[in-house]
């Protein structure tokens, strides 16, 4: 009889939640591991730079408490990747403290592994000088100047550190920044299952039921890994996995439909086949992992570029809407002229909802057809005070700007909130989005072990 390894993925991101009924259905299928991805770069660079999570602490604790209690009752491990949303040291420690409190609150005892992923800047400087740091297209080459401005750097760990923690007997693994599929594939690869199939299954499971139809990031998905295939099953009866939904999700976040690079190699999907096994289960075959000659780790780093203030407004004056481009340019010019002697360094932006705020220059529909538009005025400057000044002046200038054909002089904009200006605080940009050659897969990822009781 062929072997099978079963994986329960409760939710697309730890803290997004899941129905208890779906989770209980998953536990009935006797999983060998409960695994969850806890982060993403999708919310942008701020959370990595600021060292805070984009998920709520109470929501994370709710999800983890259910998972850990069920896992301890069943004697199976729980593996969390990219803890705290970004996987840096403050993010990691926040989740570690949550896990400790769960153990204390519920009288649980278990061995916890904490895998660190934040990297010292000096390490990257040395690698850069050795020519072992390369950009990921379309990012430019990394410079020492840009590296010096970088405030936090994480590495995206592969399977190996998680497998090592499992081999050391860890029952709960909290990992910093991790390649998304690894937490789902690590136990399987440790047990000798095919790495290509395990990683491809992990690629689907990391988003839980988003790969089902109708999709949801707040519902469970179950994976069955065999010797030459894996199967995917949503655990909520309102959802189905179809060949279309699973194949479509395989293309998710990929520049090449057949090749998915990751730590230590590539996932080759050229021979992958999708089979509709039952009404709601899809079987996948043919996925392969091809090791690379040189082991590389993706680096993510952020730098602080200033402080932000925003103002949100709207207008339904058709005359103003027809002239919005020239009005915005006139406001820009007026701001520049007013502060030309102040030597302020700032960035002023206007996002026009109802025109092109979502797609920007890529928007194919150039004509505004809406009876109203929303305008977000954003100022970014070296200090919060300067950002406040620029945003305030741009807002007041647009509010009272005298455009051709204006009828009302009481004000051009409607503000949904008072105060009209919001101090949004620090602004970060990704300064590092590169790969680094490493001597071994473990060197960047220190593991600490704790007995929680």
């Amino acid at each position: 009889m062929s072997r099978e390894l079963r994986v329960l993925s409760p939710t697309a991101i730890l803290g997004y939640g899941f129905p208890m009924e779906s989770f209980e259905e998953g536990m009935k299928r006797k999983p060998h591991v409960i695994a969850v991805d806890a982060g993403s770069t999708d919310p942008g660079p701020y959370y990595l730079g600021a060292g805070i999570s984009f998920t709520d602490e109470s929501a994370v604790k709710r999800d983890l408490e259910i998972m850990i209690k069920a896992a301890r009752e069943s004697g199976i491990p729980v593996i969390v990747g990219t803890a705290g949303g970004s996987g840096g040291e403050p993010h990691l420690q926040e989740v570690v403290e949550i896990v400790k409190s769960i153990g204390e609150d519920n009288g649980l005892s278990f061995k916890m592994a904490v895998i660190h992923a934040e990297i010292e800047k000096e390490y990257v400087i040395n690698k850069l000088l050795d020519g072992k740091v390369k950009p990921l297209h379309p990012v430019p080459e990394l410079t020492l100047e840009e590296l010096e401005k970088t405030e936090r750097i994480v590495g995206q760990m592969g399977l190996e550190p998680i497998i090592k923690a499992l081999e050391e007997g860890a029952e709960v693994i909290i990992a910093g920044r991790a390649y998304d599929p690894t937490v789902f594939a690590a136990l399987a690869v440790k047990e000798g299952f095919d790495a290509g199939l395990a990683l491809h299954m992990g690629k689907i499971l990391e988003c839980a039921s988003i790969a089902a139809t109708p999709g949801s990031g707040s519902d469970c998905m179950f994976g069955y890994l065999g010797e030459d295939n894996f199967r995917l099953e949503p655990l909520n009866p309102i959802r189905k996995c179809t060949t279309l939904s699973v194949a479509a999700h395989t293309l998710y976040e990929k520049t090449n439909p057949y090749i998915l690079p990751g730590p230590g190699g590539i996932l080759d999907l050229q021979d992958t086949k999708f089979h509709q096994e039952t009404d709601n289960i899809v079987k996948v075959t043919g996925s392969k992992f091809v090791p690379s000659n040189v082991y590389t780790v993706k680096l993510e780093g952020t730098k602080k570029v200033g402080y932000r203030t925003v103002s949100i407004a709207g207008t339904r004056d058709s005359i103003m809407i027809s002239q919005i481009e020239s009005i915005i340019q006139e406001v820009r010019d007026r701001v520049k002229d007013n502060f030309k002697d102040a030597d302020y360094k700032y960035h002023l932006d206007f996002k026009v909802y109802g025109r092109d705020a979502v797609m920007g220059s890529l928007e194919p529909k150039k004509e505004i057809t809406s009876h109203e538009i929303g305008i977000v005025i954003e100022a970014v400057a070296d200090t919060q005070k300067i950002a406040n000044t620029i945003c305030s002046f741009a807002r007041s200038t647009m509010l009272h700007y005298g455009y051709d054909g204006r009828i009302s002089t009481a004000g051009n904009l409607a503000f949904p909130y008072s105060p009209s200006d919001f101090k949004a605080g620090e602004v970060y940009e990704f300064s590092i989005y590169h790969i680094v050659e490493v001597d071994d897969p473990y060197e960047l990822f220190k593991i600490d072990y704790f007995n929680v009781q």
Side-chain angles (χ1 to χ4, degrees):
M1 184 175 177
S2 61
R3 294 191 304 157
E4 181 178 80
L5 189 135
R6 298 179 293 278
V7 183
L8 172 57
S9 171
T11 185
I13 288 183
L14 186 66
Y16 278 17
F18 48 83
M20 275 303 300
E21 294 84 354
S22 297
F23 185 84
E24 288 165 355
E25 280 298 315
M27 293 308 297
K28 288 177 186 177
R29 287 155 175 74
K30 301 187 183 303
H32 296 99
V33 61
I34 302 172
V36 64
D37 180 24
S40 174
T41 57
D42 291 353
Y46 171 80
Y47 298 95
L48 176 59
I52 63 174
S53 176
F54 61 83
T55 49
D56 178 75
E57 182 179 347
S58 297
V60 168
K61 184 173 182 179
R62 179 264 183 190
D63 290 359
L64 268 179
E65 192 160 31
I66 294 168
M67 293 162 54
I68 291 173
K69 285 170 67 177
R72 290 297 80 233
E73 289 173 7
S74 299
I76 62 174
V78 169
I79 308 176
V80 176
T82 310
S86 299
E89 198 58 27
H91 312 90
L92 185 65
Q93 292 307 321
E94 178 182 325
V95 178
V96 167
E97 291 306 312
I98 291 172
V99 172
K100 289 179 178 178
S101 71
I102 289 170
E104 183 178 334
D105 294 347
N106 294 278
L108 301 174
S109 298
F110 50 86
K111 184 176 182 178
M112 175 171 61
V114 179
I115 311 178
H116 304 267
E118 189 161 327
I119 300 168
E120 294 292 334
K121 193 183 297 186
E122 193 65 31
Y123 173 91
V124 184
I125 290 173
N126 291 333
K127 286 288 188 178
L128 180 62
L129 294 174
D130 287 344
K132 294 187 176 181
V133 177
K134 305 295 181 187
L136 288 168
H137 180 78
V139 174
E141 294 282 349
L142 184 60
T143 65
L144 285 173
E145 180 184 9
E146 197 72 353
L147 186 49
E148 287 294 347
K149 295 176 184 176
T150 301
E151 298 195 9
R152 191 184 312 282
I153 307 169
V154 292
Q156 200 180 69
M157 72 183 74
L159 292 163
E160 293 83 359
I162 300 171
I163 291 174
K164 183 177 180 181
L166 288 167
E167 290 172 343
E168 293 293 326
E171 296 161 307
V172 175
I173 300 173
I174 308 299
R177 186 67 171 113
Y179 179 50
D180 294 348
T182 55
V183 295
F184 306 93
L187 180 63
V189 174
K190 171 184 174 292
E191 297 298 323
F193 284 83
D194 181 80
L197 292 169
L199 286 166
H200 189 186
M201 186 173 79
K203 163 74 176 163
I204 306 296
L205 289 178
E206 59 115 339
C207 284
S209 277
I210 288 179
T213 182
S216 172
S218 302
D219 208 345
C220 306
M221 182 76 87
F222 204 86
Y224 306 83
L225 178 62
E227 298 286 359
D228 61 359
N229 69 83
F230 66 86
R231 296 177 295 136
L232 298 162
E233 179 188 23
L235 298 169
N236 189 323
I238 70 169
R239 309 189 197 285
K240 296 180 179 180
C241 276
T242 68
T243 52
L244 178 60
S245 70
V246 174
H249 195 76
T250 295
L251 299 176
Y252 178 64
E253 297 178 333
K254 291 168 80 264
T255 55
N256 184 318
Y258 299 114
I259 302 297
L260 179 62
I266 61 168
L267 190 57
D268 183 346
L269 305 176
Q270 294 180 85
D271 297 325
T272 299
K273 301 270 191 304
F274 301 90
H275 315 264
Q276 193 71 50
E277 186 171 89
T278 70
D279 184 51
N280 70 331
I281 296 177
V282 166
K283 181 171 75 171
V284 182
T285 60
S287 307
K288 300 181 181 67
F289 180 72
V290 181
S292 56
N293 294 327
V294 177
Y295 199 103
T296 58
V297 169
K298 179 188 172 191
L299 302 177
E300 296 162 359
T302 56
K303 65 177 181 180
K304 187 164 72 176
V305 295
Y307 296 80
R308 175 183 285 122
T309 305
V310 298
S311 184
I312 301 171
T315 183
R316 70 184 309 281
D317 180 351
S318 60
I319 300 171
M320 183 180 184
I321 290 172
S322 69
Q323 301 177 45
I324 193 64
E325 261 186 70
S326 63
I327 291 170
I328 288 174
Q329 188 56 53
E330 288 290 337
V331 172
R332 287 186 187 277
D333 294 343
R334 182 74 184 90
V335 173
K336 183 178 180 181
D337 179 72
N338 199 74
F339 299 105
K340 63 185 177 184
D341 297 327
D343 196 30
Y344 289 162
K345 293 180 175 62
Y346 66 87
H347 168 76
L348 179 61
D349 186 43
F350 297 81
K351 289 182 173 61
V352 181
Y353 285 87
R355 184 185 67 175
D356 59 2
V358 175
M359 294 187 68
S361 61
L362 297 176
E363 175 57 60
K365 297 180 179 180
K366 303 301 182 184
E367 183 183 357
I368 298 175
T369 57
S370 173
H371 69 282
E372 65 179 7
I373 57 174
I375 304 165
V376 178
I377 305 169
E378 175 198 37
V380 176
D382 290 343
T383 68
Q384 189 71 67
K385 185 176 180 180
I386 296 174
N388 297 345
T389 298
I390 298 299
C391 183
S392 173
F393 191 85
R395 181 250 307 149
S396 62
T397 302
M398 180 170 271
L399 173 63
H400 298 292
Y401 181 74
Y403 50 87
D404 289 343
R406 184 172 68 152
I407 297 173
S408 172
T409 60
N412 307 321
L413 302 174
F415 298 99
Y417 306 110
S418 177
S420 59
D421 301 355
F422 299 89
K423 303 170 184 64
E426 298 171 320
V427 180
Y428 291 87
E429 287 182 357
F430 282 115
S431 50
I432 300 178
Y433 211 75
H434 296 68
I435 56 172
V436 59
E437 294 180 18
V438 296
D439 295 327
D440 71 67
Y442 308 96
E443 68 182 56
L444 294 176
F445 308 108
K446 176 176 173 280
I447 307 176
D448 291 323
Y449 297 95
F450 301 91
N451 290 315
V452 176
Q453 53 192 8

